[in-house]
Amino acid sequence: MVVLSYRPFTYSRKEHLQCHHLYVCPEHSPELKRHLTFRVYLRSHSDVAATYGAVKQKTA
C-alpha cells in the first residue's frame, strides 16, 4: 500500500480537526500512477499549479 496526501474526507463544522488528508490505494494501481504523474507535473509547472490551486479554492 502507498499513502498519499489527499482530500477525500471532510469534517463539517470541525475544521480544527482537519489537519491531515490521506489517500490509500494499491501500490501498482493505475490510480496511483495517475496521481503521481499529476503531482510530478504540477511540481515541475508552477504556473499550472498556481492556476489549478486557484480553481480548487474557488470551487471549494
Side-chain angles (χ1 to χ4, degrees):
M1 287 275 178
V2 174
V3 179
L4 298 175
S5 178
Y6 192 58
R7 223 184 131 176
F9 306 105
T10 60
Y11 292 93
S12 180
R13 293 184 294 264
K14 295 181 183 177
E15 290 76 17
H16 64 285
L17 298 176
Q18 206 169 6
C19 61
H20 291 85
H21 302 284
L22 299 176
Y23 180 80
V24 180
C25 61
E27 187 174 1
H28 298 291
S29 70
E31 187 68 9
L32 175 61
K33 182 177 181 179
R34 185 181 72 79
H35 276 276
L36 293 176
T37 301
F38 188 60
R39 182 185 72 180
V40 168
Y41 180 81
L42 289 178
R43 286 182 174 179
S44 62
H45 297 87
S46 59
D47 57 329
V48 176
T51 301
Y52 177 73
V55 169
K56 294 286 284 184
Q57 288 292 325
K58 184 177 180 180
T59 59

